[in-house]
Amino acid sequence: MSAVLDALGASLPTATLLAAGLAVIFVSATVASLLYRTQLDRAAHLLGLALGGQAHEARVRARRYGAAMAPLLASLSGQPAPAGSPGRAQDLALAFVCLVPTLALPVYGLAAIRRVPTDQVLPLVVALLVGFAALLSASTIGATVVLHLGVRRSRAIRAACLKAEAQARRGRDGEPVRFDEERGG
Amino acid sequence: MIDTATLVAAALIGAYAVGVVLSVVRERLALAAFVRAIARWAERPTESSPDEAISGLPGDYHLAATRLTDGLRGTADLDESMQAAVVAMAELPLRPAAAFGVLIDVALALLVALPCLGPCLGTAAELAEAWASPERGPARYAADVALAERSFGGLADGFAASAALAVALSLVFALRWWLSRPEAREARMLETLLRAALVARPQLRAPGTAALARRAAPSLGWRPALGPTLAFVVAAGLAWLVLVSTSELRAANARPLRFDLWPEQRAAAPDSVRTFLPSHAAGRPLESRAAVTLIVDETSAVLAQRPVLRLDEGALPVGWAERVRSAAPSALARFRDGEAAPDVSVRGHRDVPGGTVLGLARALSRAGSGVLHLTLERRISGAAGARAVQASLRLRTRRADESIAPPIALRVERNTVRVEARAGRALELSLSEASWAREVAAQVRAATGIHPAVSPADPRVGLEVGEGVSYDKLTAVLAAADAACPPDATEDCGLPGLGLEFLLGG
């Protein structure tokens, strides 16, 4: 173990790349988690506003929240969009960012192994192997977390849309009510 | 050869796939039973209860089913109840729970990576140990080469196993997406709710539910498949590009290792005798200092360019010992450098009896020669084709003051070689078996301590030769012990031999 750590220490650029890669993966997963939490809160807030009779305010805010809330905005506007997965591109991008360090390390290694002095090849190879094993595991965990959060978030927003549409059909007195007709006023 | 980690990973992934299918089958059976139970209740309301039907469903569906049965009982509007059921299904966090689902997928993904992670870390640890080791020299070099071959071979196998498992896991995930994704499960439950409602109320009109169900049902159009299809095509194209661009590197990796280490100035020029020399992938570059040359072919023995014996098909004639004893001193004296005994370069025809060459070697030793170098011809394969060089195996007679026996001894017979380690059991190998060279190499390395972790190595190997062994066969056994190239290699990799010293009894 100490020999491996010594080798990592002797190949400082690779060790730095490893640390940076782990940081990138952690940041991506954290960003995905924050987005998940934020968008879930926003969807619940918009639904609460709409069901509480402030549909116009809900639509204004949904428009402000951007593409992630577009399906809910469409449902609140009485023009449900076809079922889709809002934010899937964002999830895929974050998952790809999680994989980038694992892909970048071998590319760096292939380039560096031809440049370093002969006596530095062995520690470089050791650092690359350890780094690849660590980054592959971290990338796997990070990308899985990001994609799972994305799926959960899509499903939650879809459920909010269905709830809003069901509510719109039900109406207060048994008559269908559209959210674009302000209730109670 | 599939290793245990791969087998375990494959078994667990297979078990997970079976679990996915079984859970779907169980769920379908439960949903069908629910519809039947609702039908029974609708026919005879006094004999059963909707609660009994709900109790047979998986827990995820209880809330939606309760919403439906509320409507069927008449406690709420049926259309609204069914809409509430659809919304309840969409809102419910289906099992497995979020954290558990992530854990399952991470575990499956790490199972796929396991066959390559193990060799990655194992190879790193071995290379780090080799890097940190203070040992240096040819024996260490040979050990490192063997380590690199073994480790990187394991690494390639590990990555191949992981790639195969990744394909299997992709199929399992596709199966899970098809059968078990939340939208598919919701759709199954929705279908069940509608069936149950129609069975209980054949005249049912539920426009709100119908509209909501259309929204909730997964799309069967081609648009959702377009993105993944394009992504697959792009990924497959990129993978193909990577494979094409790295094909030369992979082809180079698949070739056996080659070492261009032979010193050009020590690669003896071809001569007329060269074509008769035994050819094996062992031995070290010829010594640079002058040595007496002993040439033995089937008709004569020539010492320092002077014929000393006439041989009959390589057999020693009667009285040969006296004639060598009388000729040797003057020949050796011409090459004597101060007090040091002159070495002898032995160039034996590969078809002469091994006993003839060794008998002459022993006689020269008694006459005062130093180390005898059994000359071999090596054909080192390289990028520019095979290159012929000459190499030598060291041979000497055991000195009277040499009290410690060599760590291992070889006894070569016509069809067998007996390996006797000083500490350990003897091993008799048939020379007709394919594995004898590998066994000899392994035994000699273990006994002489030619390993980076052991120092100093004792390079001495005792030697006895029986009747009827040709010089070619004898040198083949010595080369198997001395070779640093992989024993199974079909070509000469170019690595100098280990530098073993073969000892003849006095």
Side-chain angles (χ1 to χ4, degrees):
Chain A
M1 188 63 189
S2 64
V4 172
L5 292 177
D6 289 346
L8 273 173
S11 181
L12 210 54
T14 315
T16 309
L17 201 58
L18 168 61
L22 291 173
V24 165
I25 293 166
F26 179 75
V27 168
S28 299
T30 307
V31 167
S33 174
L34 288 174
L35 283 174
Y36 170 73
R37 178 54 51 200
T38 306
Q39 291 178 1
L40 239 57
D41 289 346
R42 284 176 175 176
H45 179 59
L46 293 177
L47 197 59
L49 282 175
L51 297 182
Q54 301 178 58
H56 180 69
E57 175 66 15
R59 282 195 298 273
V60 168
R61 291 197 181 197
R63 200 167 285 119
R64 195 186 304 152
Y65 290 153
M69 293 297 133
L72 193 49
L73 173 63
S75 294
L76 292 172
S77 305
Q79 297 164 334
S85 299
R88 178 178 284 172
Q90 191 181 59
D91 299 333
L92 291 176
L94 282 171
F96 182 72
V97 169
C98 286
L99 298 176
V100 163
T102 308
L103 301 173
L105 190 74
V107 173
Y108 162 77
L110 282 176
I113 209 161
R114 297 170 203 279
R115 289 201 314 264
V116 297
T118 311
D119 62 336
Q120 288 300 308
V121 168
L122 217 47
L124 174 66
V125 172
V126 171
L128 286 174
L129 288 171
V130 172
F132 184 76
L135 285 177
L136 184 64
S137 308
S139 288
T140 302
I141 294 170
T144 308
V145 168
V146 168
L147 293 177
H148 259 268
L149 291 177
V151 168
R152 298 260 163 191
R153 190 206 48 227
S154 297
R155 190 157 179 270
I157 292 176
R158 176 172 162 277
C161 292
L162 288 176
K163 191 166 190 176
E165 288 164 28
Q167 187 67 25
R169 285 193 175 84
R170 191 178 304 141
R172 194 172 47 186
D173 301 312
E175 291 298 318
V177 171
R178 289 168 62 96
F179 279 121
D180 51 352
E181 298 163 4
E182 283 295 344
R183 294 193 304 164
Chain B
M1 184 67 185
I2 301 174
D3 67 348
T4 313
T6 309
L7 282 177
V8 169
L12 289 173
I13 290 170
Y16 179 73
V18 171
V20 167
V21 173
L22 284 182
S23 73
V24 171
V25 169
R26 192 167 143 259
E27 188 180 284
R28 278 182 181 277
L29 291 175
L31 293 175
F34 174 75
V35 175
R36 285 197 301 273
I38 290 292
R40 272 199 306 276
W41 170 71
E43 279 179 17
R44 300 184 188 85
T46 53
E47 292 179 11
S48 61
S49 141
D51 296 337
E52 291 172 19
I54 294 173
S55 63
L57 285 174
D60 290 341
Y61 301 147
H62 280 195
L63 183 59
T66 305
R67 294 271 183 276
L68 173 73
T69 53
D70 286 348
L72 292 176
R73 278 190 180 115
T75 55
D77 178 73
L78 184 54
D79 192 14
E80 281 194 14
S81 298
M82 289 176 68
Q83 288 184 51
V86 173
V87 172
M89 275 305 298
E91 281 186 324
L92 267 183
L94 295 177
R95 278 181 285 187
F100 191 53
V102 171
L103 274 182
I104 289 175
D105 283 0
V106 165
L108 286 170
L110 289 181
L111 273 178
V112 166
L114 191 64
C116 71
L117 288 182
C120 260
L121 295 175
T123 301
E126 284 185 328
L127 292 180
E129 290 293 338
W131 176 65
S133 166
E135 292 284 330
R136 294 289 181 269
R140 158 74 196 283
Y141 184 78
D144 281 355
V145 167
L147 165 71
E149 287 245 9
R150 189 180 65 244
S151 298
F152 285 97
L155 213 53
D157 291 345
F159 273 87
S162 282
L165 287 176
V167 171
L169 188 63
S170 303
L171 294 176
V172 172
F173 277 171
L175 181 75
R176 188 179 73 175
W177 183 86
W178 180 42
L179 294 175
S180 250
R181 71 185 192 278
E183 288 82 359
R185 293 179 65 190
E186 277 178 36
R188 273 201 294 274
M189 183 56 187
L190 189 55
E191 183 191 0
T192 303
L193 292 177
L194 293 173
R195 277 182 195 280
L198 284 170
V199 164
R201 301 274 191 280
Q203 303 302 320
L204 172 69
R205 283 182 57 77
T209 305
L212 205 58
R214 272 197 298 276
R215 285 276 294 128
S219 168
L220 296 178
W222 56 271
R223 282 177 190 277
L226 188 62
T229 305
L230 284 176
F232 173 78
V233 170
V234 169
L238 287 175
W240 181 79
L241 278 178
V242 169
L243 286 176
V244 168
S245 61
T246 58
S247 59
E248 282 187 15
L249 179 67
R250 283 179 291 112
N253 282 341
R255 280 197 291 270
L257 286 176
R258 294 283 177 270
F259 305 92
D260 197 14
L261 299 171
W262 216 262
E264 285 298 333
Q265 68 276 17
R266 307 265 291 274
D271 57 33
S272 59
V273 180
R274 187 175 65 82
T275 52
F276 303 138
L277 295 174
S279 180
H280 305 294
R284 316 198 75 176
L286 298 176
E287 295 290 336
S288 57
R289 63 182 176 143
V292 183
T293 305
L294 171 66
I295 301 172
V296 185
D297 61 21
E298 290 177 301
T299 58
S300 64
V302 178
L303 183 64
Q305 298 182 330
R306 288 180 187 164
V308 287
L309 290 175
R310 185 170 292 279
L311 306 178
D312 180 15
E313 293 187 351
L316 292 166
V318 176
W320 66 272
E322 288 74 25
R323 284 153 68 183
V324 171
R325 204 163 29 237
S326 63
S330 61
L332 293 174
R334 281 193 284 145
F335 288 87
R336 190 175 295 278
D337 180 17
E339 292 298 309
D343 288 354
V344 177
S345 174
V346 180
R347 294 164 172 264
H349 191 295
R350 57 181 163 230
D351 293 334
V352 300
T356 299
V357 179
L358 295 187
L360 290 168
R362 201 176 271 124
L364 287 172
S365 282
R366 285 188 191 127
S369 73
V371 175
L372 292 104
H373 300 275
L374 306 183
T375 308
L376 305 177
E377 180 188 281
R378 295 185 61 165
R379 293 185 181 278
I380 300 172
S381 51
R387 182 166 69 105
V389 299
Q390 291 184 357
S392 75
L393 297 168
R394 290 164 65 86
L395 177 79
R396 66 176 175 83
T397 50
R398 192 171 163 189
R399 292 187 299 270
D401 60 347
E402 212 166 344
S403 57
I404 300 174
I408 193 165
L410 301 175
R411 178 166 181 80
V412 188
E413 299 289 351
R414 187 194 295 264
N415 298 314
T416 60
V417 55
R418 187 175 170 81
V419 187
E420 296 174 353
R422 192 172 59 201
R425 64 186 180 87
L427 184 69
E428 186 151 315
L429 302 164
S430 168
L431 293 176
S432 59
E433 286 177 13
S435 61
W436 71 266
R438 195 184 325 127
E439 280 290 339
V440 167
Q443 295 289 328
V444 168
R445 276 159 180 71
T448 53
I450 295 174
H451 187 277
V454 180
S455 180
D458 184 348
R460 298 174 306 148
V461 176
L463 179 63
E464 289 180 60
V465 181
E467 292 292 320
V469 179
S470 72
Y471 184 58
D472 190 41
K473 183 65 80 179
L474 169 66
T475 49
V477 173
L478 304 187
D482 184 73
C485 292
D488 299 326
T490 52
E491 294 178 337
D492 190 337
C493 73
L495 264 183
L498 301 178
L500 296 178
E501 201 169 61
F502 296 98
L503 260 61
L504 281 171

